[in-house]
Each structure stands twice: as C-alpha cells, then as structure tokens.
Amino acid sequence: GTRSAVLNTEARTVEADVLSRRCVMMRLVDFSYEQYQKALRQSAGAVVIILPRSISSVPQDVVRQFMEIEPEMLAMETIVPVYFAVEDEELLSIYEQTRAASASQGSASAAEVLLHTATANGFQMVTSGAQSKAINDWLIPSVEGRLTGLGGEDLPTVVIVAHYDSFGVAPWLSHGADSNGSGISVLLELARLFSRLYTYRRTHAGYNLLFFASGGGKFNYQGTKRWLEDNLDHTDSSLLQDNVAFVLCLDTLGRGNSLHLHVSKPPKEGTLQHAFLRELEMVVASQFPEVKFSMVHKKINLAEDMLAWEHERFAIRRLPAFTISHLESHRDSLRNSIMDRRARIDTKALIRNTRIIAEALTRVIYNLTDKGAPADMQIFTDQMQIQQEQLESVMDWLSSQPRAAQLIDKDSTFLNTLEYYMGRYLKDVKQHHVKADKRDPEFVFYDQLKQVMNAYRVKPAIFDLLLAVCIAAYLGVAYVAVQHFGLLYKMIQRLSLKTKQQ
C-alpha cells in the first residue's frame, strides 16, 4: 500500500495523455489494474478510486475483477496517496467535468485544444491532514466467555472461535460481511442456543464450552496467538490447559451450497474430533442433501509468513482443531476485500450452516448417535429453533461498520457491544488486550486512514497566462489610444489657435 496521505494536485482522469503530478480519478466500473499501473508509471500525484453507493449494483464480473486486483494493490508499495471515495452527485459531477476536459486533449486541432484548455474549468484536489505516521503500540482486543459443564472438575472443553476483524485495501471500507461477520454471527447464535440448554439440569451437558471472539485475525491471528500464550504459558489454571476435546473455528459461513472442514491433521478414529466429523457428514447427508460437504487436509507450512486458517494457531500448540467454512481454499479473494458487503450474504445459507453446526455439535456433546438417535432427528425446532430475525439483525450490525484491526481499540463501541451481547448468554465474559508481536509477521500500521478531500474549482495555468496577455494587450491598446488622442488634441488646439490669429 501507500504511506502517503497529503494531496494537493489538479484532477485528471486516466484518459488524459499526461498524468504526471496529477490526481487521477477513476470509477470502479471502469477500473482496471492496467490503468492503475499507468497512473503510477507516469508519476501521478495521487489516485482517487470512486466507489458506487451500493456495491450490490455493480456487475459481478467487475466485483470479481477488483477482488482479484486488491492483493496486488496491497502488495505493491506506492509513493503516492491512493484514496477511495463513495460517489455522490457532486463527486460524479466533478468526475464528468474532469473526464470531458481530459478527453478533449485528443482533439485534432491544436487551436481547439488551446482554446478548450484556456476556457475549461478544472479542479484542484486538496487534503488538509498531516502526513501519515507509524503507530508504535498496537493493542489487540479480544473477548471470551464460557458455559461451565455439569459434573466433575476435569470436564472436557470444546472451544468455539471466530475472529471479528475485517480486511481490505481501504480499512474504513472493510465491512467483512462474510469474512468474518458470518463467523461471529454463528458464534453468537451458538452461545444463545447452548446457554438455553445449559440452563436446565436435565439438558446440562458434561462439557465446558469456551467461546472466543478473537482480534487481529487478518494479521496472522495475532489475538489467538497471544491468548494461547497467556493461557498455556503464563497461567496456572486455564480451561485450555486441562482437557480440550477440540477447537472449532468458524470462518466465512454466509453463502454457497458447500461446507468444508479444514484440518492440519486428519482426526484419528475413536477421538471426539473424529466423532464431530462423522456427525457433520451425517447431519448434512440426512437433513441437507443439497449441501456438498468435504474434509480438506492441509499441512501447516511454517515457512510461510502467514498461516492459512485460524485452527493452525491451535494445532501448533498441539490442540486438536479445525476450521469450518464454505470456502475450499484459504487463498480465496473474498476473505480480504472491501467488496465483502452485506448484500453478498445469503441469509438462508447462513441459517442453514448455523443449524448444521449446532446439530452436529449437540449430537457430539450429548452422544446422541451412540444413544440411538436417528440421523434425521432435528434438535433445534419449535422453541429451540434458530431465530432468523436475531441472526439477521446481528449480521446487519456487524456488516454496517468497518472492523479493520487498526480501527478497533479497547474503547471502541463495537467491542463493548460485542462484550455486552456475549454477556447475555455466557459467564465470566471479559476482554483481553495484548500488544501485537510485530515480528510475526513483520508489519507496521499507519494513522491518517481517513481524510477530508476538498475540490476547488480552478482555471488552468494557461488561462492566467492568456488573461495576462489579454490585459497587457488591452492596456497597450489603451495606451496607444491615449497617446493618439493626446496628439490629436494638440493638433486641434494648434489649428484652433491659428484660426483665431487669422
């Protein structure tokens, strides 16, 4: 990305022949990586990419194309500021006038170009903020809560995890609806459902349930890493130290007709994680045959800077873990895009996936299959059914605000609301605040992520030159006229004097 923020240059569109030291404006619907690189190659002063008010109105091929370009834009360091702005009538008017002026430069006649250049209106794009500075201490907030099982002290623990932060080329526009607003939505609904089951003694299971909404997920799962360190290395008593049955990570569950269980090591037969895999397969096959389910095995590559999935953080610490997602590959561009908006969420798919996970998890915790419960038995019905309106409202809340890691601090409204919501259903809910480990991976955050840009209507410099020439010519003509008028006046006086003398 770019470290620059200050901008004070004249506006042009990419159609202009000369872009050097100009603010290049381009609309998303016309955007291409070639045009973006052209602006950078010609040493543009800045780039402004105009986004439509509603992403859902953009053709899907344009959305996919931009999502594929985003990683390239982030990976390439630029020395000029790159801004994103949401269109409105004034901004579109500025763009159209600038585009007309830029296109006119290709006219055949040099006189026409000169005349148009002299008379056209231009715009000076100016920001008044300070230059970006590196943020030295970046805190990662996370929230945890639990439901304590019924029975002895050494109960097995099932850990349910989802990271709440989003990511994209512009932090203030990163709403992360599917990645990972959907994961947090499912986590909160599971907390609500199991809190009801754990309220009554006859349905109180012999498992501890530990819920963790992690921060810094888009930056190598920093929140999870530090949480594990605190619980495994620096604490004498923790649910993670005793008897972890398995860790279930929730990631991108808001669309599609497929579900994939990503594992670093295939679960061994006879283990609880293998039982969960078996229950997932059974629930999908018997109740949701339209869903394609599979297990995806990928070994952890410690040579790479970034881990693929959140469960790998747990697997490194020898805790049995897996991630469930509708994505088959961790490299899918949907996970890191400002195009990941609420309109892309399929509510029916989100509800269905929540139910599949809840049914499979319940069958494991209560050992229903071994007790003879039929595969097609639906547990969450009637009074215990998944609440569609509540799930939708949580999804609306999550996707209505940017959740880039740089924007979430311990005092943020989002984090306090998340803690309050978890506190409605869970016990011992608390926040964790840890400093990011900048060595894993090596990253630096900068401030000035949001600026006010002013567009001043101006005439081009050649207009001032021609105006000066016109004024000089006018004064010259006036001077000559005055001189001639003086001479004429003297001649008339002389002629009048001679007449009197005669």
Side-chain angles (χ1 to χ4, degrees), residues 164 175 181 184-185 188 342 390-403 412-422:
Y164 62 75
H175 291 235
I184 289 291
S185 297
L188 295 177
R342 178 67 175 90
Q390 183 159 320
L391 193 61
E392 285 183 330
S393 65
V394 170
M395 193 70 245
D396 291 341
W397 166 64
L398 287 165
S399 57
S400 66
Q401 56 196 312
R403 302 187 315 282
S412 70
T413 303
F414 165 77
L415 201 69
N416 292 329
T417 306
L418 179 62
E419 181 184 16
Y420 168 77
Y421 195 98
M422 291 177 68

Side-chain angles (χ1 to χ4, degrees), residues 1-4 26 31-42 47 49 68-82 84 167 169:
T2 174
R3 301 178 186 178
S4 300
M26 52 183 73
F31 180 84
S32 71
Y33 193 53
E34 291 73 21
Q35 292 177 330
Y36 178 71
Q37 286 186 313
K38 173 188 173 183
L40 298 183
R41 281 197 306 268
Q42 292 195 19
V47 176
I49 300 172
E68 292 170 359
I69 292 171
E70 271 187 274
E72 299 291 334
M73 296 177 68
L74 284 163
M76 180 175 62
E77 184 177 355
T78 67
I79 59 174
V80 302
V82 179
F84 289 83
F167 188 69
V169 70

